[in-house]
Amino acid sequence: MVTAVAQRLASQRKEIDDTLAAFALSPTQLQEVKAKMRVELERGLKKDSHPTASVKMLPTYVYRTPDGTERGKYLALDLGGTNFRVLVVKIRTGMRNSVRMYNKIYAIPLEIMQGTGEELFDHIVQCISDFLDYMGMKNTRLPLGFTFSFPCNQTGIDKGDLVCWTKGFKATECEGYDVVDMLREAIKRRNEFDLDIVAIVNDTVGTMMTCAYEDPKCQIGLIAGTGSNVCYMEEMKNIEFVEGDEGQMCVNTEWGGFGANDNIEDIRTRYDREVDGGSLNPGKQRFEKMTSGMYLGEIVRRILIDLTKHGLLFRGRITERLKTKGIFETKFLSQIESDRLALLQVRSILQHLGLDSTCDDSIIVKEVCGAVSRRAAQLCGAGMAAVVDKIRENRGLDNLEITVGVDGTLYKLHPHFSTILKDTVRELAPNCKVDFILSEDGSGKGAALITAVIDKYLYAMRFSDETLRDIMARFRREMENGLGRDTNPTATVKMLPTFVRSIPDGSEKGDFIALDLGGSNFRILRVKVSHEKKQTVQMESQIYETPEDIIHGSGSRLFDHVAECLGDFMEKQKIKDKKLPIGFTFSFPCAHTKLDEAVLLTWTKRFKASGVEGMDVVKLLNKAIKKRGDYDADIMAVVNDTVGTMMTCGFDDQRCEVGIIIGTGTNACYMEELRHIDLVEGDEGRMCINTEWGAFGDDGTLEDIRTEFDREIDRGSPNPGKQLFEKMVSGMYMGELVRLILVKMAKEGLLFEGRITPELLTKGKIETKHVSAIEKSKEGLTKAEEILTRLGVEPSEDDCIAVQHVCAIVSFRSANLIAATLGAILTRLKDNKNTPRLRTTVGIDGSLYKMHPQYARRLHKTVRRLVPESDVRFLLSESGSGKGAAMVTAWASRKVHVFTIQQISILNKCAKN
Ligand code: BG6
Ligand code: BG6
Ligand code: GLC
Ligand code: GLC
């Protein structure tokens, strides 16, 4: 009797062991799996074999992991895992661990998962709508990152055609279609809110990004959850079907498809085949069906049925419950296998599942679960070993240290899965030290980070008023440094005294010549100011060329050229025999000790003639004129173009006390109280200060707001490290900034389907006038198309819209930054006057301000917001700065000087001393 029972038990045991033996993989078998996976990874990457490869190796257009400088507020969707989630992710700049997330989980009912595509996307949009309401954010158009955990054929970061549904989804009319388009259309259908869909991201990629944010060594993403998949950073040159050889791109392996070419049939069991046969996608995702949460429970259930059939379990009774598909969810599998659980508790779980079990039954069930999950973990480990070895070989290393970011309920909840996985990787890839870190926040955070990586450079160009006020405060400090005797020598914003002490008072008259050098045109003018009943000004002018070789040649050649043009002008005006007083607008930073002495401190903008820096330009010009000997000249005043502009505008509006240029370069001057100007004797009255604000930031004060593009512009400029503020805002650099951003976006597949032409790569091919044209509200898009077509990039309509967007962001940033620095000057004037409300006029000139369709309006609006306690009139200088230079000259050349009251008081003071 005893022996009969013992024999029966032994034979039962053997039957169970035999059944489970098929799940035990030997080291050799695991090595084989690794080797086969490696072959499939390579096949997926190669152009020829890619179309038929079982492991698809899909490009993701994610070129790098986050570097911690990302910032912004993003919306993210996370669809395809156990939960559908809508999130808001706020990333504060420059600090890791500075991400805040708010999310809500929504159910996707089975009938929607397997209904029509339209129903599915309408449902998604309905959930977004609910979430936006819940967050009170319906009216903020946020950038959206979409984690979509299914294989997508991506042609850009925001374009992805669904290859095929996997796991539990089977909605119709989606396969082969662009998921982003479907989402956009559903948003349009709802017609309730708008979103910028910036990126579509696989969950593996989102997970890698989430983890890489914490650990820069993380270059692999693994999901062991409902599905199973891996992504990793691959060398571009190995991804044969994507253009370009430089750098890396993250590849979504879709390793779940491994086995589709029958190459792992030797290790598949009849249970695997049964599970596959009963799935939504028979024949597909064979590896996934052996390794992921959605199927492990099913394999277990099939084995249990089989064992029950053979009378080895549940007293041989196959109940309806046991016949029910999907009862063994991963969480139950994980609970049953927990070592902390007593057999009794296992029984109670089975009981809960409706499976009436004995104590022996629960032991066997636990064994079955163990065999199935162990194999899953080992298979994942073998696959991972193939991936890490590939990365190691890619990099030509003997040893590799790398981190895998992991997510998924199987990995997280199962008591042994992660340990077995790690052990297997260690055994099969002994030359790789692989760390695994758990993604705590899901892949939505990663999707937001990807969105942030893309949006980063554009985002970094948008400033809140808070930031602008901060910049305003910084500039005020710079102004104070420039004015102070002790701080001036090291100040970056030089605050140069101009020796211009008042704006025109209406008494000027005479016949003058003005030179206007340093803006986009070199102009010579004759300015006649007469004073019969009323002051009238007559002007005649001529533009002269300043060829590149002259502005980059020797200083003497430059001044010879100026003298020659002047001679020509006087000849034409028939005044060669006269010695008219000359006012010289020279639009570069000069140190004055008096009006007609101006030592060039440094060239800016395009100019770089040798032997001029450190020299008095009046002397240089006089020398050149003398050398010719055909006419005489009397240079009475040198003024900066900002000063000329202020004076020109001051002629029409006595309240004008600020002059700004937003043209090739940018700069401002304003009337400062003499008592605050330490560098000039005297305390009474005012003097115009040429701030030279273009140099703001040259000491690093603006590093936090400069972008990689600003740095690139600077590196390629004639004066690296100098005029950093000017390079962010002025016309000479704006087109180039746009071009660099477009190149970058094209490289990342965000524009022109990744097409990069030699023209697009050529410096100077996009000019500020193009930016202005593209931003025109009516014909802007047509202009964009024209301009881009000329660059050979064959833009789509979307491309044109995106380019317009880039232009707007760059020019908006410029207007905002100038609003901040001008705001600083205005608040200083207000404080100087000690008035609760400042009423003033700002004279402005420069091609950017004049030609750009939106610039002026943006600037005015922001200034009014930043300095609310002011009434500012912006007055465009219609006649250039030559007129103003003539006004200064008139003042300087007066034989009998008409002194203002303030000037008399200065003179009195001097006399006393
Ligand atoms: C979540 C991620 O944490 O894990 C999802 O946010 C991912 O993007 C999921 O799909 C995978 O795990 P599971 O077990 O939910 O499929
Ligand atoms: C002109 C002034 O109108 O504007 C010049 O007369 C000034 O003095 C110039 O330099 C600035 O604008 P831009 O765009 O020509 O550099
Ligand atoms: C499935 C999907 C894949 C996803 C994985 C994990 O394998 O095809 O895209 O990454 O599940 O969720
Ligand atoms: C540059 C020059 C400055 C000039 C400005 C506008 O910034 O340094 O002197 O005013 O350009 O032309």
Side-chain angles (χ1 to χ4, degrees):
M1 178 69 186
V2 173
T3 39
V5 172
Q7 263 174 0
R8 189 168 48 91
L9 281 178
S11 111
Q12 282 180 348
R13 184 69 248 168
K14 185 166 180 308
E15 230 178 299
I16 294 168
D17 286 347
D18 286 348
T19 305
L20 296 186
F23 290 85
L25 299 175
S26 69
T28 322
Q29 280 176 309
L30 287 172
Q31 284 290 1
E32 273 171 27
V33 172
K34 175 190 167 190
K36 286 178 190 167
M37 179 66 88
R38 178 61 192 267
V39 170
E40 291 306 303
L41 296 177
E42 301 296 351
R43 275 175 36 82
L45 288 172
K46 296 265 178 313
K47 215 179 201 146
D48 301 340
S49 42
H50 175 73
T52 57
S54 65
V55 176
K56 278 285 171 225
M57 307 298 274
L58 301 169
T60 65
Y61 294 87
V62 167
Y63 294 86
R64 58 161 187 265
T65 50
D67 60 11
T69 60
E70 296 70 21
R71 67 172 175 185
K73 193 155 119 190
Y74 303 93
L75 205 61
L77 301 181
D78 188 353
L79 178 79
T82 317
N83 294 310
F84 168 48
R85 214 186 284 258
V86 187
L87 322 81
V88 144
V89 184
K90 290 183 191 170
I91 312 162
R92 279 171 54 203
T93 183
M95 290 185 280
R96 288 183 192 272
N97 303 319
S98 64
V99 178
R100 299 266 168 288
M101 309 209 302
Y102 307 88
N103 75 73
K104 228 173 143 182
I105 290 175
Y106 292 89
I108 303 221
L110 193 68
E111 64 272 19
I112 287 200
M113 276 159 82
Q114 298 176 11
T116 70
E118 206 170 290
E119 281 161 3
L120 172 63
F121 281 91
D122 282 345
H123 177 74
I124 293 172
V125 171
Q126 188 190 327
C127 298
I128 302 176
S129 167
D130 173 82
F131 182 75
L132 292 176
D133 278 337
Y134 169 74
M135 296 295 294
M137 295 193 333
K138 264 270 165 64
N139 298 320
T140 37
R141 181 178 169 154
L142 290 181
L144 172 99
F146 184 7
T147 300
F148 182 73
S149 310
F150 301 94
C152 284
N153 246 330
Q154 287 189 245
T155 48
I157 187 74
D158 61 346
K159 291 184 189 72
D161 296 345
L162 175 63
V163 178
C164 57
W165 286 116
T166 55
K167 302 178 282 191
F169 281 70
K170 198 74 194 168
T172 55
E173 293 152 66
C174 294
E175 291 180 352
Y177 292 100
D178 183 349
V179 181
V180 175
D181 277 350
M182 287 191 276
L183 180 59
R184 276 202 191 114
E185 270 155 33
I187 293 175
K188 239 189 237 162
R189 274 199 296 279
R190 196 171 175 96
N191 195 21
E192 209 185 271
F193 56 87
D194 215 353
L195 296 171
D196 278 329
I197 308 168
V198 175
I200 175 160
V201 181
N202 187 262
D203 53 353
T204 52
V205 184
T207 299
M208 177 185 80
M209 295 297 270
T210 302
C211 295
Y213 193 64
E214 312 298 333
D215 175 356
K217 277 219 308 286
C218 178
Q219 304 222 303
I220 304 177
L222 166 70
I223 297 285
T226 315
S228 170
N229 193 12
V230 159
C231 73
Y232 71 98
M233 295 305 291
E234 177 56 274
E235 305 305 313
M236 276 293 276
K237 59 175 189 298
N238 293 342
I239 314 173
E240 287 188 357
F241 47 89
V242 177
E243 293 280 318
D245 277 350
E246 292 298 307
Q248 300 183 324
M249 185 193 277
C250 178
V251 167
N252 166 17
T253 66
E254 286 293 331
W255 80 7
F258 182 45
N261 50 355
D262 293 343
N263 60 346
I264 50 170
E265 288 312 299
D266 56 331
I267 57 165
R268 282 177 89 217
T269 64
R270 49 177 273 235
Y271 306 105
D272 295 310
R273 295 194 180 95
E274 278 174 26
V275 167
D276 180 31
S279 70
L280 287 174
N281 50 353
K284 295 201 175 133
Q285 299 295 98
R286 295 187 195 177
F287 189 65
E288 177 158 89
K289 287 170 187 165
M290 298 166 84
T291 52
S292 81
M294 179 158 170
Y295 306 96
L296 296 192
E298 265 310 277
I299 302 176
V300 168
R301 191 179 65 87
R302 297 273 174 178
I303 301 173
L304 297 188
I305 290 181
D306 204 32
L307 294 180
T308 311
K309 260 190 210 156
H310 290 85
L312 301 165
L313 264 180
F314 307 134
R315 302 182 189 92
R317 282 210 323 269
I318 300 179
T319 56
E320 278 311 306
R321 268 312 273 177
L322 193 56
K323 281 199 245 165
T324 313
K325 209 167 133 185
I327 52 160
F328 264 99
E329 292 172 36
T330 318
K331 64 177 178 214
F332 298 125
L333 207 82
S334 301
Q335 285 168 7
I336 290 168
E337 283 194 65
S338 167
D339 292 334
R340 278 178 307 197
L341 235 54
L343 279 182
L344 218 60
Q345 286 165 299
V346 176
R347 265 182 80 189
S348 94
I349 293 169
L350 292 173
Q351 213 76 42
H352 179 74
L353 288 175
L355 302 173
D356 190 14
S357 61
T358 64
C359 217
D360 283 351
D361 287 343
S362 48
I363 296 175
I364 296 168
V365 171
K366 195 167 171 164
E367 266 181 64
V368 173
C369 291
V372 172
S373 62
R374 180 178 187 79
R375 184 188 65 161
Q378 286 178 323
L379 287 176
C380 279
M384 183 58 75
V387 171
V388 289
D389 253 350
K390 164 133 187 73
I391 298 177
R392 184 178 61 77
E393 284 168 32
N394 277 348
R395 300 182 189 176
L397 298 173
D398 291 335
N399 295 294
L400 172 77
E401 268 189 41
I402 199 158
T403 301
V404 182
V406 199
D407 206 341
T409 39
L410 183 58
Y411 185 91
K412 286 204 277 208
L413 300 181
H414 194 281
H416 310 303
F417 186 92
S418 64
T419 318
I420 300 170
L421 166 76
K422 288 173 197 168
D423 288 348
T424 313
V425 177
R426 203 172 310 120
E427 274 156 36
L428 298 184
N431 295 330
C432 301
K433 185 179 167 302
V434 186
D435 282 329
F436 290 79
I437 56 173
L438 192 61
S439 155
E440 299 289 350
D441 307 308
S443 71
K445 175 168 158 185
L449 283 165
I450 291 172
T451 312
V453 165
I454 293 150
D455 197 51
K456 185 168 84 179
Y457 31 85
L458 296 182
Y459 196 87
M461 290 189 169
R462 297 185 201 136
F463 302 123
S464 62
D465 278 4
E466 192 188 336
T467 308
L468 291 177
R469 284 203 187 89
D470 179 41
I471 294 167
M472 199 163 123
R474 290 186 217 177
F475 188 63
R476 267 208 73 163
R477 281 196 293 278
E478 294 293 317
M479 289 169 73
E480 272 141 36
N481 283 342
L483 289 171
R485 188 182 304 278
D486 301 336
T487 41
N488 175 276
T490 55
T492 38
V493 176
K494 278 295 174 210
M495 304 295 282
L496 302 165
T498 63
F499 292 82
V500 169
R501 294 168 193 267
S502 66
I503 54 158
D505 60 8
S507 65
E508 300 75 8
K509 63 176 172 188
D511 194 354
F512 309 97
I513 287 181
L515 303 177
D516 186 354
L517 180 73
S520 34
N521 293 310
F522 169 37
R523 203 187 289 262
I524 304 184
L525 312 87
R526 181 153 177 209
V527 185
K528 283 189 217 163
V529 194
S530 58
H531 225 287
E532 268 123 51
K533 273 185 208 130
K534 145 171 178 274
Q535 197 180 26
T536 48
V537 179
Q538 245 189 323
M539 298 204 303
E540 282 169 84
S541 78
Q542 188 169 340
I543 290 175
Y544 289 89
E545 300 244 315
T546 40
E548 284 290 300
D549 59 317
I550 288 192
I551 61 182
H552 291 151
S554 75
S556 55
R557 229 181 116 207
L558 172 66
F559 283 95
D560 285 349
H561 175 69
V562 173
E564 189 188 325
C565 298
L566 181 56
D568 175 79
F569 184 78
M570 290 172 77
E571 174 94 55
K572 286 191 178 133
Q573 289 281 323
K574 305 198 174 49
I575 46 171
K576 248 187 159 171
D577 53 335
K578 291 192 181 153
K579 191 179 175 187
L580 295 185
I582 296 180
F584 185 7
T585 302
F586 183 66
S587 310
F588 301 96
C590 288
H592 287 262
T593 45
K594 46 187 178 174
L595 255 183
D596 61 351
E597 188 187 87
V599 174
L600 174 67
L601 294 178
T602 171
W603 284 119
T604 56
K605 301 178 281 191
R606 254 183 267 281
F607 279 65
K608 198 82 194 164
S610 60
V612 186
E613 289 175 344
M615 307 292 281
D616 176 3
V617 295
V618 177
K619 285 208 179 100
L620 295 179
L621 182 55
N622 271 332
K623 201 168 136 195
I625 293 172
K626 220 175 241 149
K627 204 160 76 185
R628 297 177 54 88
D630 58 341
Y631 65 89
D632 239 353
D634 193 0
I635 305 164
M636 308 219 67
V638 177
V639 293
N640 186 263
D641 52 355
T642 54
V643 184
T645 299
M646 180 185 80
M647 296 301 273
T648 301
C649 294
F651 184 81
D652 297 320
D653 179 344
Q654 286 267 317
R655 205 171 257 134
C656 184
E657 51 188 344
V658 182
I660 68 177
I661 297 285
I662 311 172
T664 316
T666 184
N667 190 14
C669 71
Y670 74 103
M671 297 304 290
E672 177 59 89
E673 304 298 316
L674 206 50
R675 63 177 191 279
H676 294 153
I677 310 173
D678 288 0
L679 299 177
V680 179
E681 291 293 313
D683 277 347
E684 297 292 322
R686 304 205 291 174
M687 181 180 278
C688 177
I689 289 288
N690 165 17
T691 63
E692 285 295 330
W693 74 18
F696 181 29
D698 289 7
D699 58 352
T701 19
L702 293 178
E703 283 320 289
D704 57 331
I705 58 161
R706 287 178 74 224
T707 63
E708 57 181 292
F709 307 103
D710 296 306
R711 291 180 226 282
E712 206 173 329
I713 292 268
D714 180 45
R715 279 196 296 274
S717 70
N719 52 349
K722 287 186 180 167
Q723 301 290 104
L724 297 186
F725 180 71
E726 180 161 85
K727 286 171 187 164
M728 293 171 86
V729 301
S730 81
M732 177 163 163
Y733 310 95
M734 184 164 287
E736 208 31 29
L737 269 173
V738 167
R739 189 185 65 82
L740 292 178
I741 298 174
L742 299 192
V743 169
K744 172 89 174 214
M745 290 178 77
K747 278 193 181 152
E748 304 207 346
L750 289 167
L751 279 178
F752 320 133
E753 290 182 344
R755 263 187 304 274
I756 296 170
T757 59
E759 286 89 343
L760 184 64
L761 288 175
T762 309
K763 200 169 156 183
K765 278 285 173 183
I766 299 182
E767 296 173 34
T768 305
K769 63 174 187 222
H770 298 138
V771 177
S772 295
I774 291 172
E775 282 193 66
K776 290 219 167 93
S777 52
K778 281 210 188 99
E779 64 262 47
L781 286 178
T782 324
K783 291 278 175 213
E785 196 185 351
E786 259 169 53
I787 292 161
L788 295 168
T789 306
R790 239 178 286 139
L791 298 179
V793 291
E794 300 170 36
S796 68
E797 201 183 322
D798 279 355
D799 286 336
C800 293
I801 296 173
V803 170
Q804 199 174 47
H805 185 60
V806 171
C807 289
I809 285 178
V810 172
S811 61
F812 223 124
R813 178 181 74 156
S814 164
N816 275 340
L817 286 174
I818 297 237
T821 45
L822 178 58
I825 291 180
L826 295 175
T827 52
R828 185 162 173 100
L829 277 175
K830 183 175 160 291
D831 292 350
N832 280 348
K833 292 183 182 184
N834 199 11
T835 164
R837 203 166 175 85
L838 177 74
R839 268 190 83 186
T840 194
T841 298
V842 175
I844 309 195
D845 205 344
S847 45
L848 179 55
Y849 180 84
K850 285 201 282 206
M851 284 163 47
H852 190 286
Q854 335 264 358
Y855 197 96
R857 196 177 41 88
R858 287 176 190 161
L859 173 70
H860 304 169
K861 240 174 112 175
T862 315
V863 168
R864 290 188 180 123
R865 241 186 13 254
L866 294 180
V867 195
E869 59 291 346
S870 66
D871 301 306
V872 184
R873 177 176 182 219
F874 291 90
L875 187 59
L876 185 64
S877 156
E878 298 287 356
S879 34
S881 73
K883 178 166 154 188
M887 294 300 147
V888 178
T889 311
W891 186 82
S893 65
R894 264 180 224 185
K895 302 270 181 315
V896 187
H897 199 96
V898 186
F899 292 105
T900 62
I901 296 172
Q902 279 153 344
Q903 285 160 349
I904 291 170
S905 102
I906 296 174
L907 289 174
N908 284 343
K909 214 165 159 194
C910 295
K912 268 186 221 147
N913 292 336

